Amino acid sequence: MTSTPGSAGPTGAVTHPPSEPARRVRRFTRAERWAHRTTAGLLLLCVATAAALYVPQIAELVGRRALVVTVHEWAGILLPAPFLLGLASPAFRTDLRRLNRFGPHDRKWLRAVRRRDHRSGSRPAGKFNAGQKIYASWIAGAVLVMLATGLLMWFTHLTPLVWRTSATFVHDWLALAVGIVVAGHIGMALADPEARRGMRTGSVERVWARREHPLWLRDDPQDAPQDASDGGPEDQGG
């Protein structure tokens, strides 16, 4: 027995519409991503050239010490440039204010991290969590100290020997600390693909934002991010 079209009635197979892509929200403008990438590139160049100068095994492989020294010096001199240029972006300045603001929810986030508490709601965070704020502040301070001590080491004729000796000691040990902290930052980024995607494309999934940074979407109505798809308006600058 054959059936005619429509004879199956309500018992026929239901065709579901294709699932909608996850809704995304803008997290970073192009100017912010440019500043981050350029700073990261210069910082990694400083770390790599420092390793080539101070680790004998790497120095033997690289050679050309004078060139490595020159690259290291100029990478360090240019390190603050992306930050200074980024100040021209309103979005960059807004996020800078967020990074400089430490509230009660940040202290709660740190307590949860110390207790290794992963329960939902135990780690409240705005657009940036407390760990990101501390990292940004520490790196900013370290860069200023590295720049100052590096200049004392570069222009040897301007300062007494004791100043240069002290600057060398601080510069070398702080460089080691920076390398360790940056390695930790990279490791955490590798463990969070959506965070990396946000820095790469400018947008993140709304579900991720609500889970990782719930206060960002809930308590910032004046700066609430707009829905966007990859390559959409959020990628056009800032």
Side-chain angles (χ1 to χ4, degrees), residues 161-186:
L161 177 61
V162 65
W163 286 25
R164 300 197 303 271
T165 302
S166 301
T168 302
F169 177 83
V170 172
H171 193 89
D172 291 353
W173 283 103
L174 186 55
L176 178 61
V178 167
I180 294 172
V181 171
V182 169
H185 178 70
I186 293 174

Side-chain angles (χ1 to χ4, degrees), residues 77-99:
I77 289 292
L78 293 174
L79 196 51
F83 171 83
L84 296 175
L85 293 174
L87 293 175
S89 164
F92 185 91
R93 296 196 301 271
T94 298
D95 278 351
L96 188 61
R97 287 192 293 270
R98 287 189 175 109
L99 283 169

Side-chain angles (χ1 to χ4, degrees), residues 8-215:
T11 62
V14 178
T15 302
H16 295 280
S19 58
E20 295 183 0
R23 297 179 67 188
R24 303 186 66 80
V25 293
R26 183 173 72 174
R27 183 160 174 81
F28 297 114
T29 64
R30 179 175 295 176
E32 292 177 287
R33 301 195 316 270
W34 173 88
H36 181 271
R37 292 169 184 169
T38 309
T39 301
L42 289 170
L43 187 57
L44 290 175
L45 186 57
C46 286
V47 171
T49 50
L53 291 173
Y54 288 98
V55 180
Q57 294 81 355
I58 300 178
E60 290 176 4
L61 290 175
V62 176
R64 306 192 66 178
R65 183 177 179 85
L67 176 60
V68 174
V69 169
T70 300
V71 172
H72 182 79
E73 291 171 342
W74 282 105
I77 289 292
L78 293 174
L79 196 51
F83 171 83
L84 296 175
L85 293 174
L87 293 175
S89 164
F92 185 91
R93 296 196 301 271
T94 298
D95 278 351
L96 188 61
R97 287 192 293 270
R98 287 189 175 109
L99 283 169
N100 289 330
R101 193 179 302 136
F102 208 87
H105 63 279
D106 294 307
R107 288 187 284 274
K108 182 178 179 180
W109 189 94
L110 290 173
R111 287 194 296 269
V113 170
R114 188 173 62 251
R115 296 192 303 264
R116 297 185 178 181
D117 185 353
H118 295 279
R119 292 175 302 171
S120 177
S122 64
R123 300 187 181 188
K127 186 172 184 179
F128 303 102
N129 62 44
Q132 292 167 329
K133 293 177 180 181
I134 292 173
Y135 171 80
S137 299
W138 191 90
I139 283 292
V143 166
L144 291 176
V145 174
M146 294 289 286
L147 182 61
T149 54
L151 289 173
L152 290 177
M153 295 163 62
W154 192 357
F155 299 102
T156 57
H157 61 285
L158 297 179
T159 56
L161 177 61
V162 65
W163 286 25
R164 300 197 303 271
T165 302
S166 301
T168 302
F169 177 83
V170 172
H171 193 89
D172 291 353
W173 283 103
L174 186 55
L176 178 61
V178 167
I180 294 172
V181 171
V182 169
H185 178 70
I186 293 174
M188 296 187 71
L190 292 175
D192 193 340
E194 190 61 24
R196 296 200 312 274
R197 189 175 183 185
M199 185 56 69
R200 187 177 69 252
T201 68
S203 67
V204 293
E205 290 184 0
R206 182 176 287 274
V207 172
W208 178 90
R210 284 175 174 164
R211 184 182 71 247
E212 300 293 335
H213 302 272
L215 302 183

